[in-house]
Amino acid sequence: MPDIGVLALQGDVREHVRMLQEAGAASRPVRRPAELDTVDALVVPGGESTTMWKLADTFELLEPLRMRIKEGMPAYGSCAGMIMLADRIEDGVAGQQTFGGIDMVVRRNAFGRQVDSFEADLDFAGAPVHAVFIRAPWVESIGPGVDVLGRAEPGDRIVAVRQGPLLATSFHPELTGDTRVHRYFVDMVREL
């Protein structure tokens, strides 16, 4: 059974822990470098990407996270987590940093403000899912090693990607009760 941590600096930590457990993994919050060292993989939840970056730096997690990702630790980022796994971002605050790992450019708050949040049915890696978008980013461009797993309207925007052991969605599957995205990630971790 894979042991998958959920970065617990902010966001839907409990919801991701519950979904991972329902998908067949052991799961617990990760707040410190010592806790990061004990997990097989990590979920980076939604929240606010600039706050997440600053808290990761404050809790001395920024560099350990970058190193684990660079060394091949599987990671899944939803919404702000997608931004944090991107190598490059658009519309970030001055000096904003990410954990990186996925060769993509992500635009923060691309679908609009909080009042522009929406739900949509879409195809994720060949399976239908109901997606919740809250101040969501989208992927502007991807590098050659990145697979597109999902798109959404308006504009057929890229909203789900995978590069090797890294997965990212601009939507929040932890809010729907549907474990398909989490099962996909748990299966990824098992295969690696």
Side-chain angles (χ1 to χ4, degrees), residues 15-23 173-174 176-179 182:
E15 292 84 351
H16 277 292
V17 166
R18 179 179 49 79
M19 295 291 273
L20 288 164
Q21 290 170 345
E22 288 179 20
E174 75 280 5
T176 67
D178 183 342
T179 61
H182 289 83

Side-chain angles (χ1 to χ4, degrees), residues 128-150:
V129 296
H130 186 73
V132 177
F133 295 86
I134 303 171
R135 289 180 52 209
W138 67 46
V139 178
E140 288 279 331
S141 63
I142 57 172
V146 180
D147 295 320
V148 175
L149 300 179

Side-chain angles (χ1 to χ4, degrees), residues 9 31-33 50-65 97 99:
L9 301 178
R31 293 181 185 88
R32 304 270 188 237
T50 56
T51 301
M52 197 174 298
W53 152 55
K54 291 174 183 176
L55 288 172
D57 192 44
T58 298
F59 285 91
E60 299 178 347
L61 275 166
L62 192 59
E63 288 308 318
L65 271 166
Q97 298 179 37
F99 307 141

Side-chain angles (χ1 to χ4, degrees), residues 33-102:
E35 295 167 336
L36 178 64
D37 291 340
T38 66
V39 296
D40 302 318
L42 187 72
V43 170
V44 183
E48 210 290 316
S49 62
T50 56
T51 301
M52 197 174 298
W53 152 55
K54 291 174 183 176
L55 288 172
D57 192 44
T58 298
F59 285 91
E60 299 178 347
L61 275 166
L62 192 59
E63 288 308 318
L65 271 166
R66 286 178 175 159
M67 187 57 67
R68 286 287 313 269
I69 290 168
K70 188 175 182 178
E71 292 170 349
M73 175 186 69
Y76 163 50
S78 66
C79 198
M82 172 184 260
I83 296 166
M84 296 306 295
L85 291 179
D87 283 345
R88 297 165 305 284
I89 56 174
E90 294 286 334
D91 295 335
V93 300
Q96 184 173 352
Q97 298 179 37
T98 68
F99 307 141
I102 300 178

